Amino acid sequence: MDASTIDPMRPRLARVRSRRRDGPQVWTLEIDAGPEARSGFSAGQFNMLSALGVGEVPISFSGDPTEPRRIVHTIRAVGAVSTALAHLGVGATLGIRGPFGVGWPLAEAVGQDVVLVAGGLGLAPLRPAVYHLLAQRSRYGQITLLYGTRSPAEILFRRELNAWRRRADLSVEVTVDHALGAWDGHIGVVTALIERAHLAARHTTALVCGPEIMMRFAAEALAAALIPSESIYLSMERNMQCGVGLCGHCQFGGLLLCRDGPVIRYDRLRETLRVREL
Amino acid sequence: MMSAQMDAAQVLTGAGLDALLQVLKSRGLRTLGPKIRAGVIVYEEIASVADLPRGWTDEHSPGHYRLRRRDDAALFGYTVGPHSWKQFLHPARQCLWQARRDGAGEQPHFEPEPSDAQHFALIGVRACELRAIAIQDRVLLEADPQYRARRRDTFIVAVNCTVAGATCFCASMNAGPAVSDGFDLALTELTTSSEPLFVLRAGTDIGRAVLSELPRRPASDTEIARAAARVEDTAASMGRQMPSEDLPQRLLRNLEHPRWSEVAERCLACGNCTMVCPTCFCTSVEDSSDLTGTQLTRTRRWDSCFSADLTYLHGGSVRQSTRSRYRQWLTHKLATWPQQFGTSGCVGCGRCITWCPVGIDITVEASRIAAGESG
């Protein structure tokens, strides 16, 4: 098919190859989109996933971009569609469109230190960036992952995080909002970790993903740590419906986040993030 | 010059216009044009010149529209009604795909595209509407293959406006009242008595081919001058204007202007303005299935930035207040559309003013807000 006959609104049918629970109400699906599937994605991009007959939602890739045949998504069951998707069994059919959007600036960050700041489920869209950075470890300086979540029980990708913490070439700090019992890690918001981290401001690229309010404060903390706005990137979330900039849902000021984002440089967001209900 | 010769203005009578409709039909096109229904001028299928609103005009003011009798027999002696051509090119409901499962648990398969490929001839397209179609082309032509298919074979018969409505402001948007490009044929109406009379020009090769099949005669210099004068008079009698200088930047500097709250006290968030707007393109998709779950359908329908669901995210709307939704609508039209698509999203047709149930006027609101706090 030539480009003019491909309908970007028509999903490919795919099957769930495997499914694992990665947190309360959070499941990670590996999807088999068949031999015709377009392979490859950039860390930070998203797919539109359809629970057939229920609806379609944007979900970021959470798998390894260096393994382009494996399509992995981490889904929290919150609404009707994400709940239907998260509960699909192995072998079940779903629809998939994508990849869409602009991902993390990993090529531009070559030679720099990289700090990744994740809030809650925001760790999932950052995980492909971690895989990419580790796969090309020698091309980057210091790598720091700062992750904040509500409680120890909600920590995503726990075994993988523990493995990353044991590495000497990656610094991982985890904080929770509140904890009972056996937690001996940080308590507090993720911005406190930014203040404590020793970031070489002039040589650091920051990648931030989480709830909008968390990203706003994280970006302000990174800026306070003297990281230039041009080196801070946020993954913005709206209810993308088409992925190709024609449905109007994901407007954020002059940006169409599905097309211009979801990853946007902070200097293009600083003013608009302060405007409520934009 | 040869091309100037080919595009020399012609004169067409009512019989000639009827012949035009028949030629377009014989080419397999659905002829769509203005018609009176339920007290308004709508765009629907038209069979002949007899369907056109002969001798009628429309009276506009904020929140007000009435048809009135003209004292001549003009066929296009009105401005614009609540319909726009987007209902045909970017329909309000559209099936995106259908799929079928042969049994429970079976892999569904997509059914072939419903073959509703229709080719339109749009009769009576105004300059502002041509601009609106060009704007929707920028948004949809590349990304939406169904739009592209409908748009590709659309034949456009434009009409220069010989009357301006009280809510019109196309001149200040540089979108009218004279048509400049984007048409196959363009008419200027000179009708006075009962016999319709038009000056006609072709704008494309297919327009020239159609023109060559019509009964016509070359227009005289006097007729050409009269046609031009009528359009110039229309520009001079425009009811409203949009401030133009630096408007996008001035609006975006005033996102917290108190006027947004004042307009929100009047705005009903009904979405009428977005439905009648010829450029508003926002849509939502809905999935449905039959009770057995074997037949699956995805439908796209017009949505509006005034609906709560447009920005639904994790259990709530991003834009909860009417203030924020009106601000989104107006700033999108006039300030952020240029950033997204390289053109204003407003053509100055005035529909949003006329069809607003409480008569909110985009030209007034934009002027006040762009003037800043002191304005």
Side-chain angles (χ1 to χ4, degrees):
Chain A
M1 274 200 300
D2 71 283
S4 65
T5 59
I6 292 170
D7 184 348
M9 296 305 284
R10 175 175 288 215
R12 308 185 298 277
L13 294 178
R15 285 184 189 274
V16 176
R17 183 181 285 159
S18 69
R19 173 174 186 267
R20 57 172 291 161
R21 187 176 177 277
D22 264 317
Q25 303 301 311
V26 179
W27 280 267
T28 295
L29 306 183
E30 186 181 339
I31 293 161
D32 181 356
E36 287 168 29
R38 265 188 285 169
S39 59
F41 68 95
S42 304
Q45 285 191 302
F46 67 95
N47 270 326
M48 297 297 302
L49 299 185
S50 292
L52 296 170
V54 183
E56 190 178 50
V57 286
I59 307 281
S60 289
F61 286 90
S62 67
D64 189 342
T66 66
E67 292 185 57
R69 302 296 305 174
R70 293 184 62 208
I71 300 171
V72 177
H73 289 283
T74 300
I75 301 164
R76 176 181 280 155
V78 279
V81 182
S82 58
T83 300
L85 286 169
H87 291 97
L88 289 174
V90 172
T93 302
L94 72 162
I96 181 167
R97 298 191 292 127
F100 295 118
V102 178
W104 302 110
L106 298 173
E108 293 89 325
V110 165
Q112 297 248 310
D113 291 356
V114 179
V115 58
L116 304 96
V117 186
L121 199 64
L123 182 58
L126 279 169
R127 190 168 71 159
V130 175
Y131 290 137
H132 177 100
L133 294 167
L134 293 179
Q136 305 197 13
R137 185 65 192 85
S138 62
R139 303 181 72 196
Y140 297 94
Q142 193 172 324
I143 301 176
T144 308
L145 171 61
L146 308 175
Y147 173 41
T149 193
R150 254 179 282 181
S151 68
E154 287 175 72
I155 292 174
L156 278 185
F157 312 135
R158 184 183 300 268
R159 281 166 60 187
E160 205 163 22
L161 266 181
N162 285 334
W164 288 345
R165 294 175 91 148
R166 286 192 295 271
R167 293 179 66 127
D169 60 355
L170 175 65
S171 163
V172 177
E173 298 291 341
V174 180
T175 184
V176 298
D177 293 345
H178 45 78
L180 298 167
W183 178 253
D184 60 359
H186 300 288
I187 292 182
V189 291
V190 74
T191 47
L193 298 183
I194 297 171
E195 288 152 18
R196 247 174 270 160
H198 298 288
L199 304 173
R202 296 285 151 203
H203 313 287
T204 297
T205 298
L207 314 179
V208 186
C209 188
E212 195 166 306
I213 184 79
M214 165 263 165
M215 290 200 291
R216 196 181 118 201
F217 282 106
E220 286 173 9
L222 290 161
L226 302 179
I227 297 180
S229 304
E230 295 77 14
S231 300
I232 302 172
Y233 293 82
L234 277 53
S235 180
M236 296 294 294
E237 185 175 21
R238 284 294 182 271
N239 60 344
M240 290 86 161
Q241 282 206 353
C242 70
V244 291
L246 62 74
C247 79
H249 285 249
C250 67
Q251 290 180 65
F252 187 74
L255 299 169
L256 290 165
L257 291 174
C258 75
R259 183 188 80 176
D260 305 326
V263 174
I264 307 276
R265 216 168 70 175
Y266 181 50
D267 56 326
R268 300 178 73 189
L269 295 168
R270 198 176 31 214
E271 298 306 319
T272 40
L273 273 174
R274 294 189 189 130
V275 180
R276 292 189 58 194
E277 295 187 273
L278 192 72
Chain B
M1 262 166 51
M2 225 13 226
S3 63
Q5 194 70 35
M6 282 165 66
D7 285 349
Q10 304 288 313
V11 167
L12 205 66
T13 61
L17 191 60
D18 241 341
L20 171 60
L21 296 179
Q22 302 323 314
V23 168
L24 295 172
K25 278 186 216 291
S26 72
R27 289 174 172 248
L29 300 172
R30 271 183 74 196
T31 47
L32 304 165
K35 210 179 202 179
I36 291 177
R37 183 162 59 78
V40 297
I41 291 174
V42 296
Y43 295 152
E44 281 185 355
E45 187 128 22
I46 52 170
S48 73
V49 166
D51 286 336
L52 298 175
R54 173 190 293 250
W56 287 96
T57 191
D58 45 7
E59 177 185 283
H60 296 251
S61 63
H64 173 91
Y65 175 98
R66 292 288 182 278
L67 291 183
R68 268 197 304 108
R69 274 285 176 197
R70 289 174 62 98
D71 53 14
D72 64 16
L75 298 174
F76 297 97
Y78 59 91
T79 56
V80 290
H83 278 188
S84 73
W85 306 103
K86 87 173 174 183
Q87 66 182 313
F88 304 108
L89 299 173
H90 179 50
R93 286 189 78 81
Q94 187 179 329
C95 174
L96 290 178
W97 50 261
Q98 289 189 302
R100 232 189 124 68
R101 275 185 231 271
D102 293 327
E106 292 291 309
Q107 176 101 352
H109 51 87
F110 287 105
E111 300 193 320
E113 301 260 338
S115 59
D116 66 341
Q118 295 183 12
H119 305 295
F120 304 124
L122 311 181
I123 314 296
V125 180
R126 305 309 177 108
C128 61
E129 298 181 315
L130 280 175
R131 174 66 62 83
I133 291 170
I135 289 171
Q136 286 216 324
D137 282 353
R138 289 210 181 204
V139 179
L140 299 170
L141 201 57
E142 206 173 310
D144 181 356
Q146 298 199 45
Y147 179 85
R148 196 158 58 231
R150 283 186 295 270
R151 182 70 180 88
R152 188 176 47 218
D153 297 315
T154 300
F155 188 96
I156 293 181
V157 180
V159 171
N160 282 302
C161 282
T162 49
V163 55
T167 57
C168 288
F169 56 101
C170 67
S172 62
M173 299 306 298
N174 295 314
V179 302
S180 53
D181 56 9
F183 58 86
D184 296 293
L185 291 172
L187 304 172
T188 309
E189 184 159 27
L190 294 179
T191 307
T192 48
S193 62
S194 61
E195 178 56 23
L197 197 67
F198 301 95
V199 172
L200 175 69
R201 279 179 201 274
T204 58
D205 287 341
I206 184 160
R208 283 176 205 111
V210 169
L211 180 60
S212 72
E213 294 184 49
L214 306 178
R216 65 194 188 282
R217 63 169 169 81
S220 69
D221 288 348
T222 318
E223 285 164 331
I224 292 170
R226 267 177 62 210
R230 293 191 74 166
V231 182
E232 276 163 33
D233 289 349
T234 307
S237 66
M238 199 97 346
R240 282 172 157 67
Q241 61 174 2
M242 181 66 81
S244 55
E245 196 189 333
D246 206 19
L247 185 62
Q249 290 71 26
R250 285 159 66 206
L251 289 171
L252 294 177
R253 277 201 301 269
N254 284 288
L255 293 176
E256 306 293 354
H257 196 289
R259 186 81 186 182
W260 297 116
S261 299
E262 291 163 32
V263 70
E265 285 172 23
R266 289 182 291 145
C267 174
L268 308 175
C270 68
N272 264 19
C273 50
T274 62
M275 298 293 109
V276 296
C277 178
T279 68
C280 272
F281 59 84
C282 288
T283 51
S284 283
V285 292
E286 293 168 343
D287 279 22
S288 55
S289 67
D290 66 357
L291 284 175
T292 61
T294 56
Q295 185 73 39
L296 308 168
T297 305
R298 179 166 295 163
T299 308
R300 175 158 71 198
R301 60 167 175 81
W302 286 354
D303 206 336
S304 166
C305 49
F306 286 93
S307 81
D309 279 353
L310 194 85
T311 58
Y312 186 87
L313 191 66
H314 309 309
S317 293
V318 174
R319 292 185 209 112
Q320 304 235 346
S321 66
T322 298
R323 171 185 181 271
S324 68
R325 294 182 205 163
Y326 185 83
R327 183 178 66 187
Q328 166 63 23
W329 177 74
L330 187 140
T331 55
H332 186 214
K333 280 282 156 240
L334 299 173
T336 56
W337 205 300
Q339 296 172 25
Q340 294 167 1
F341 301 108
T343 169
S344 173
C346 178
V347 299
C349 71
R351 285 182 178 87
C352 57
I353 305 172
T354 299
W355 295 97
C356 174
V358 295
I360 294 170
D361 182 337
I362 187 174
T363 63
V364 172
E365 300 308 321
S367 305
R368 294 281 173 83
I369 290 160
E373 298 254 355
S374 56

